[in-house]
Amino acid sequence: MVRPMDESPTAGTGAPIYVLSAHPDGRTSRVNRRLRDAARGLPHVQVRDLYDAYPDYDIDVQAEQAAVARAQLVVLQHPIQWYSMPALQKLWMDDVLTHGWAYGHHASALHGKDLWLVATTGGAEASYHPESYNRYFFDAFLPPYEQTAALCGMRFLPPLVLHGAHRASEDEVQAHVNVFVDRLRTYPAWPELAELEACPACDVPETDRPRGT
């Protein structure tokens, strides 16, 4: 069974936010642990440490859907591993964002909400370049996140990324945490949000509904 939510929202303190923190070893994390702990201190933010809540990978789908339904902003906060999200975060997506609830014909539970990726990478920003070992700019690895948001009728917000997290200085880490906290405190009053397009419509026909594939 899922452990209690780390923080409960307080009415009137801002738009409700749900942070999904997913680091396979949060105790040794330099940056993600501090981001998680900083989010816990905000009254309108709920935090779920996925690896702490679900060590057996048995996700409480009903509890997670209820938490997402309450939020206006859903935050995926994790390290980038093999150009994607950690395994438990991926399982959360598979189990929680179900057809008929998160996407599909007449599914509107997430319509109009925002999805925000807050990530760290081990490689430096310069490594995400066609002439370096990661071979692509970092944006090339974002389409799965962007399309997940689109399929669910959500708006994908510009990611907050700290590259080279292993070698970042203490000042760089603290500055990154400060930006994260400021963004959570001020959401949805971000100037750039007014320039973003509305949530796209991706209606999946019944003929394409997953059936034991």
Short mmCIF file of all heavy atoms in Angstrom, two decimals, residues 23 55 80 94 103 177 213:
data_model
loop_
_atom_site.label_atom_id
_atom_site.label_comp_id
_atom_site.label_asym_id
_atom_site.label_seq_id
_atom_site.Cartn_x
_atom_site.Cartn_y
_atom_site.Cartn_z
N HIS A 23 14.17 8.99 -7.96
CA HIS A 23 15.61 8.70 -8.00
C HIS A 23 15.82 7.33 -7.38
O HIS A 23 15.43 7.10 -6.23
CB HIS A 23 16.41 9.76 -7.25
CG HIS A 23 17.89 9.70 -7.52
ND1 HIS A 23 18.67 8.62 -7.19
CD2 HIS A 23 18.71 10.59 -8.14
CE1 HIS A 23 19.92 8.84 -7.56
NE2 HIS A 23 19.97 10.02 -8.15
N PRO A 55 8.59 0.60 -2.94
CA PRO A 55 9.83 -0.18 -3.08
C PRO A 55 9.62 -1.53 -3.75
O PRO A 55 10.56 -2.10 -4.30
CB PRO A 55 10.30 -0.35 -1.62
CG PRO A 55 9.05 -0.22 -0.81
CD PRO A 55 8.21 0.79 -1.54
N ILE A 80 18.08 11.77 -15.66
CA ILE A 80 17.97 11.12 -16.96
C ILE A 80 18.86 9.88 -16.95
O ILE A 80 20.06 9.97 -16.67
CB ILE A 80 18.38 12.07 -18.11
CG1 ILE A 80 17.46 13.28 -18.16
CG2 ILE A 80 18.39 11.34 -19.44
CD1 ILE A 80 16.00 12.97 -18.47
N ASP A 94 2.96 3.91 -17.16
CA ASP A 94 2.25 2.78 -17.75
C ASP A 94 0.98 2.44 -16.95
O ASP A 94 -0.07 2.15 -17.53
CB ASP A 94 3.15 1.55 -17.81
CG ASP A 94 4.29 1.70 -18.78
OD1 ASP A 94 4.22 2.59 -19.65
OD2 ASP A 94 5.27 0.94 -18.67
N TYR A 103 -6.23 9.22 -21.39
CA TYR A 103 -6.29 9.47 -22.84
C TYR A 103 -7.34 8.57 -23.45
O TYR A 103 -7.83 7.63 -22.82
CB TYR A 103 -4.92 9.23 -23.49
CG TYR A 103 -4.55 7.76 -23.62
CD1 TYR A 103 -4.72 7.10 -24.84
CD2 TYR A 103 -4.05 7.05 -22.53
CE1 TYR A 103 -4.39 5.75 -24.96
CE2 TYR A 103 -3.72 5.72 -22.65
CZ TYR A 103 -3.89 5.07 -23.86
OH TYR A 103 -3.57 3.74 -23.98
N VAL A 177 18.43 24.67 -7.28
CA VAL A 177 17.37 24.42 -6.31
C VAL A 177 16.54 25.68 -6.09
O VAL A 177 15.31 25.63 -6.01
CB VAL A 177 17.96 23.92 -4.98
CG1 VAL A 177 16.88 23.82 -3.91
CG2 VAL A 177 18.63 22.56 -5.16
N THR A 213 -2.04 -5.95 -26.32
CA THR A 213 -0.94 -5.97 -27.27
C THR A 213 0.39 -6.22 -26.59
O THR A 213 0.54 -5.95 -25.40
CB THR A 213 -0.89 -4.64 -28.03
OG1 THR A 213 -0.76 -3.56 -27.09
CG2 THR A 213 -2.15 -4.46 -28.85
#
